[in-house]
Amino acid sequence: MKRRKFDLAAVPGKTAKGLDERLQVATPLRGLLNKVFPDHWSFLLGEIALFSFIVLLLSGVFLTLFFDPSMKEIAYDGAYPALRGTEMSTAYASSLDLSFEVRGGLFMRQMHHWAALLFMASMIVHMARVFFTGAFRKPREANWIIGIALFLLGFLAGFTGYSLPDDGLSGTGLRIASAIMLSIPVVGTWVSASIFGGEFPGELIIGRFYIAHVLLIPGGLLALISVHLGLVFKQKHTQWPGPGRTNSNVVGERMFPRYALKQGGFFMAVFGVISLMAGLFQINPIWLFGPYRASEVSSASQPDWYVMFMDGLVRLMPAWEITLPIGEGYVIPPLFWPAVVGLGALFTVPMMYPFIEARRMKDNKSHHLLQRPRDAPERTGVGAMAFTFFVIATISGGNDVIADKFHISLNAMTWGGRIGLVILPPLAYWLAVRICLGLQQHDREVLAHGVETGIIKRAPDGRFYEVHQPLGPVDDHGHPLPLDYAGWVVPKKMNRLGALAPAVKGFFFPVEKPAEAPVSPGMPPVTAREEREEITSGR
Amino acid sequence: MTSDTPAGRRFRVFNRRRSAPSRMRRRLGAAARMLAALALAGGVYTAFAPGAFAEDTPQLSASAQEGKALFDNSCISCHGRNAEGVEGRGPSLIGVGAASVEFQVGTGRMPMTRQEAQAEQKPPQFDKAQTKQMGQYIQELGGGPEIPSGDLTMSLEENPEALAAGGELFRINCTSCHGFGGGGGALSSGKYAPSLHDATTEEIYAAMLTGPQNMPVFGDNQLTPEQKREIITYVKMQLQEDKDPGGLFNLGRYGPVTEGVAIFIVGITILVFAALWIAGKS
């Protein structure tokens, strides 16, 4: 019997054929793999969040293998000498063991924490990109709302995770959370009692937060992320305007192989940066905090950065206590306004923003092309306002550390925050709108008169002109005919028009084909230098 | 000055004259009585008053006298003559003890640059010997707490529990101002708790004992000398010499504030550049 020759090169094809014969996947898969994604660096910011979520899942699973979410009091007898013999909860002791006795445990813990910070940070950056470019407009309002819900879920995941090790800082955070619950009128005490199973801290909270942190919230995150990505697939990604790009097409790269390879590489980069930070930067040194005791509170007890804005608002809130004359006097504590009302408003108002803007602009059309921030000055202004508000609130959340390290009076920081929170956001709005209008005007100027060449020409009568390079056709006098703004970068330097031959391939931006930069179609690139001197002044 | 009888005249010396004595005599008499009264009062006082055995200036030891000279040069403008204090400028130093002087002068906090919320640590103006002399002067002037001699930390071989006990005491008593990592923290209106990262054992002990600047006093009945040594052991062995197992950079152990700064400055920055790079490769 003749042995068949084994053809290695035919194996993938045969396997694929076999699969398709059984499952009929070729047709749908072809559509999927050929799906085109527009390419721009700012479209990768959301991916950072996605990839850090994957790192969170992987490192989190590792941590669950060793963590014991029990509040049973034991005397610590582990590897860390400075706590040996101290009474503490099993949760804290197992976190210490995880840090000091499990091989690679501390690294994994730090990786999990850094990935969490990166998850939230990249969400904010991604959200800013979506907001400032108008990517949330119809038909993508649902995805915008899901995005904010994802931030809220991430916020809860972060807070429950922060509480789990049951160290001094966790307990302080829980105490504040319980105070916030208690501040809610009428239902506050019931809310707190049902979550903590009685008085704070009780003996249940770590177990409850554990199941929320490892099952419920990640489940919700996973579901919402799937819907988020599914909607991006279904509705297609937005793209920047440019040559050949319209509201009804998508110009970009196919999902397979190039886009998938790039994404794979970027995932490795995110994974690498998180690992690097986990190895280099110490985060959340729980062994220094000690076990939680209600009587021990360290200075500089802060939540993680994405909760800090709320802490800041609480710190800035004046002590206005409202006493209602019901019964023996019903008190609404000042904490209620920033922590419950403020937080609620800060999550719901942004959710409504796409509808508010559409209503204001009377805009019911679907938009698949992005807008440059300068082309929507009011939106950019609102974004700058919100950003300023968030930054001031966040800084105020750490105002004691900042006051101490920069030798500023803490009282001055608090008052600065209070005044800044009222004055600076409108100022930021005004400034952003003015900058946008200025940039728009400059774009229009260049379109009307051409690019400044830097060449000064002297007329026979002694007057000086600067020679402008028109971007389009000129009239009989050599004056450029006005061009329409296309919603994309207007070249403003001669080099962008190909006046200088490209020397090197750019590291960050491709400069191989600068002559193909979005020049208006009517005019060939700049001609030779001698001829250019004959061009008359644009004005 | 007239008399009727010879007898009267004979006893004239002993009898009061009817007529007013001459001006001269009056003056002489008054002077004599005054002298007698003074001698009497002075004698009684000399005989009974304890001051007879006190000297008008305390007898200072040689080093205290050196200290007094330094004090009179550098401290007197605010703390006054004999360290009695000057209203609105500096408190009296009677009873603060050598421990206080050695802490305040030894860490450069005194002499103060200007009147402000809190004297800042700076390079000391006096060397160790001079500081000791000034401490000696204040000690001899009014007494007060002193830094005990000998080792202020505990040996972990003999007392293995000292570290954990010190940590517990540190978290109860110290972290509310100095922070869990001993990095210091803000107090109200420009006051602050300084970092403990380069504090010596003597400085920590003296600070607990005397409560310098805005720190409360932890007297020996609040924290026993034993407990003070435990706290110092924790600060020294754990906070100052701990090699931060979590990585090369401990971010100052200031907690989530610096961690939040790091994730943006390091993580987000690197990844945005990575995104620029990857998207640029088309």
Side-chain angles (χ1 to χ4, degrees):
Chain A
M1 190 172 148
K2 192 185 172 189
R3 207 169 150 207
R4 257 213 233 138
K5 202 181 162 197
F6 180 68
D7 186 4
L8 188 68
V11 168
K14 280 174 97 175
T15 316
K17 191 160 179 284
L19 273 176
D20 186 44
E21 280 167 1
R22 290 170 181 84
L23 303 169
Q24 284 87 41
V25 286
T27 313
L29 208 60
R30 183 178 294 123
L32 189 70
L33 295 183
N34 281 343
K35 197 169 175 59
V36 163
F37 281 92
D39 208 7
H40 189 261
W41 68 269
S42 67
F43 302 164
L44 293 172
L45 299 174
E47 264 86 350
I48 304 177
L50 176 66
F51 298 148
S52 41
F53 182 67
I54 295 173
V55 175
L56 277 171
L57 289 182
L58 295 176
S59 54
V61 168
F62 180 90
L63 298 182
T64 57
L65 303 179
F66 302 97
F67 178 70
D68 181 0
S70 153
M71 291 179 88
K72 208 173 125 236
E73 286 282 307
I74 54 160
Y76 178 70
D77 184 30
Y80 184 66
L83 284 171
R84 216 169 277 156
T86 311
E87 287 280 320
M88 60 178 67
S89 68
T90 313
Y92 184 53
S94 67
S95 305
L96 288 173
D97 291 345
L98 188 53
S99 305
F100 293 114
E101 286 170 54
V102 174
R103 193 171 294 247
L106 181 57
F107 177 71
M108 293 302 272
R109 242 199 68 221
Q110 300 204 133
M111 208 163 157
H112 193 68
H113 206 138
W114 281 120
L117 295 195
L118 186 67
F119 180 58
M120 301 304 285
S122 51
M123 270 208 248
I124 287 282
V125 178
H126 171 61
M127 185 179 161
R129 195 280 294 174
V130 167
F131 183 84
F132 285 112
T133 59
F136 57 82
R137 290 174 297 171
K138 190 180 169 186
R140 295 182 178 77
E141 301 99 330
N143 236 7
W144 169 258
I145 292 170
I146 290 171
I148 292 171
L150 277 170
F151 185 86
L152 182 62
L153 273 184
F155 180 97
L156 293 176
F159 181 72
T160 47
Y162 174 93
S163 305
L164 283 184
D166 201 23
D167 57 65
L169 198 57
S170 308
T172 306
L174 271 177
R175 174 81 266 193
I176 293 167
S178 122
I180 290 171
M181 291 171 204
L182 287 171
S183 79
I184 305 171
V186 186
V187 296
T189 40
W190 280 280
V191 170
S192 173
S194 53
I195 286 180
F196 287 93
E199 263 305 309
F200 172 86
E203 288 174 342
L204 297 170
I205 190 68
I206 298 292
R208 288 182 172 179
F209 269 25
Y210 181 70
I211 202 66
H213 183 76
V214 304
L215 180 72
L216 302 179
I217 298 172
L221 278 170
L222 205 56
L224 282 185
I225 288 175
S226 310
V227 176
H228 200 69
L229 293 179
L231 280 176
V232 171
F233 262 73
K234 179 76 187 59
Q235 300 180 326
K236 301 184 180 59
H237 204 287
T238 50
Q239 61 182 348
W240 287 107
R245 294 174 182 174
T246 67
N247 205 28
S248 51
N249 70 359
V250 180
V251 179
E253 294 187 38
R254 284 180 179 169
M255 170 127 155
F256 194 83
R258 289 198 58 138
Y259 192 75
L261 279 177
K262 276 187 173 187
Q263 293 292 311
F266 196 48
F267 173 59
M268 294 301 158
V270 173
F271 209 139
V273 167
I274 294 172
S275 314
L276 203 70
M277 292 195 75
L280 289 178
F281 299 99
Q282 175 169 287
I283 187 168
N284 201 23
I286 52 164
W287 51 91
L288 293 175
F289 303 142
Y292 177 63
R293 306 242 196 286
S295 59
E296 297 169 12
V297 179
S298 169
S299 70
S301 284
Q302 261 95 16
D304 278 339
W305 77 264
Y306 45 86
V307 187
M308 226 176 263
F309 72 94
M310 196 177 86
D311 199 33
L313 293 178
V314 170
R315 288 176 188 213
L316 296 185
M317 179 73 194
W320 293 333
E321 202 172 72
I322 299 174
T323 309
L324 300 174
I326 303 169
E328 293 179 16
Y330 192 88
V331 175
I332 301 175
L335 178 63
F336 174 67
W337 303 109
V340 181
V341 177
L343 194 70
L346 286 177
F347 278 105
T348 45
V349 173
M351 281 188 181
M352 303 309 297
Y353 185 79
F355 306 105
I356 297 171
E357 192 190 280
R359 200 186 162 86
R360 244 186 75 77
M361 298 287 174
K362 298 189 174 58
D363 181 5
N364 285 319
K365 289 192 283 294
S366 283
H367 297 277
H368 301 286
L369 286 177
L370 298 172
Q371 278 182 311
R372 300 171 80 195
R374 69 185 62 175
D375 295 331
E378 286 188 10
R379 179 200 301 144
T380 308
V382 169
M385 199 156 87
F387 180 74
T388 313
F389 185 89
F390 183 78
V391 168
I392 295 172
T394 302
I395 288 177
S396 296
N399 61 7
D400 53 338
V401 176
I402 295 166
D404 184 44
K405 301 310 160 204
F406 292 97
H407 299 267
I408 305 166
S409 159
L410 181 57
N411 303 38
M413 282 291 295
T414 305
W415 273 105
R418 282 174 180 168
I419 295 166
L421 207 59
V422 176
I423 288 180
L424 292 182
L427 204 66
Y429 175 87
W430 180 81
L431 208 66
V433 169
R434 296 313 306 175
I435 290 174
C436 286
L437 292 177
L439 289 170
Q440 273 189 20
Q441 192 182 4
H442 190 218
D443 281 351
R444 303 305 190 279
E445 255 173 36
V446 173
L447 286 171
H449 305 307
V451 178
E452 292 177 355
T453 57
I455 299 166
I456 306 291
K457 203 173 165 185
R458 193 174 188 191
D461 58 5
R463 285 183 295 174
F464 288 98
Y465 301 99
E466 183 180 6
V467 179
H468 283 71
Q469 165 67 49
L471 291 173
V474 291
D475 63 12
D476 300 341
H477 303 286
H479 294 308
L481 296 171
L483 293 167
D484 284 336
Y485 179 64
W488 186 232
V489 180
V490 176
K492 288 177 182 165
K493 286 189 176 142
M494 289 305 285
N495 288 358
R496 305 288 264 164
L497 300 179
L500 257 179
V504 281
K505 205 173 162 181
F507 187 74
F508 289 118
F509 293 106
V511 291
E512 308 93 282
K513 291 176 267 178
E516 281 185 10
V519 201
S520 56
M523 191 68 185
V526 184
T527 43
R529 197 188 176 108
E530 298 78 47
E531 286 169 333
R532 222 188 314 152
E533 293 210 10
E534 294 305 309
I535 296 167
T536 51
S537 161
R539 186 154 300 172
Chain B
M1 264 223 193
T2 51
S3 181
D4 297 358
T5 58
R9 187 173 282 164
R10 192 192 302 163
F11 294 107
R12 204 174 64 183
V13 180
F14 301 102
N15 285 347
R16 291 212 157 252
R17 274 185 302 247
R18 295 285 140 86
S19 60
S22 76
R23 198 171 189 186
M24 188 65 164
R25 288 187 75 99
R26 259 188 294 148
R27 287 206 170 163
L28 277 174
R33 282 195 297 278
M34 184 67 176
L35 271 175
L38 277 176
L40 183 68
V44 169
Y45 181 81
T46 318
F48 292 107
F53 308 105
E55 287 137 40
D56 49 351
T57 49
Q59 199 62 56
L60 295 172
S61 66
S63 77
Q65 270 169 1
E66 296 280 336
K68 180 175 164 43
L70 290 167
F71 180 92
D72 288 345
N73 247 337
S74 304
C75 322
I76 198 165
S77 57
C78 294
H79 291 296
R81 283 160 60 87
N82 297 323
E84 287 160 349
V86 176
E87 187 73 39
R89 258 192 271 170
S92 161
L93 300 184
I94 304 298
V96 301
S100 185
V101 177
E102 281 173 40
F103 179 85
Q104 303 273 10
V105 179
T107 58
R109 285 182 169 81
M110 292 289 152
M112 234 173 154
T113 317
R114 58 183 170 270
Q115 295 286 345
E116 56 187 334
Q118 186 167 333
E120 206 167 341
Q121 179 164 18
K122 54 186 182 292
Q125 304 291 302
F126 299 97
D127 62 25
K128 273 216 159 67
Q130 289 171 320
T131 310
K132 281 251 180 259
Q133 289 164 351
M134 285 152 87
Q136 187 65 28
Y137 170 59
I138 294 298
Q139 189 68 32
E140 291 184 13
L141 207 59
E146 282 176 285
I147 304 174
S149 54
D151 196 4
L152 296 176
T153 54
M154 288 184 143
S155 151
L156 291 183
E157 278 95 56
E158 293 164 28
N159 287 307
E161 302 87 31
L163 198 59
E168 181 82 40
L169 289 166
F170 184 81
R171 285 190 297 275
I172 293 173
N173 295 293
C174 315
T175 51
S176 52
C177 299
H178 291 284
F180 58 82
L187 305 174
S188 61
S189 302
K191 301 169 200 153
Y192 61 93
S195 158
L196 303 178
H197 288 158
D198 47 8
T200 65
T201 52
E202 288 83 12
E203 283 164 13
I204 302 171
Y205 199 100
M208 285 191 276
L209 205 54
T210 63
Q213 308 292 336
N214 294 298
M215 182 166 160
V217 174
F218 293 89
D220 282 348
N221 48 357
Q222 279 130 343
L223 285 173
T224 62
E226 179 93 341
Q227 290 174 322
K228 287 196 178 78
R229 285 192 170 84
E230 284 171 353
I231 289 179
I232 293 173
T233 310
Y234 180 75
V235 173
K236 273 291 178 205
M237 311 258 172
Q238 205 58 43
L239 297 184
Q240 293 187 356
E241 288 168 25
D242 183 25
K243 295 291 179 285
D244 284 315
L248 214 53
F249 305 102
N250 62 13
L251 302 177
R253 294 194 199 125
Y254 299 140
V257 173
T258 42
E259 291 161 9
V261 172
I263 197 65
F264 278 95
I265 288 185
V266 180
I268 289 290
T269 307
I270 294 179
L271 286 172
V272 165
F273 275 98
L276 273 168
W277 179 63
I278 286 181
K281 299 284 162 196
S282 55

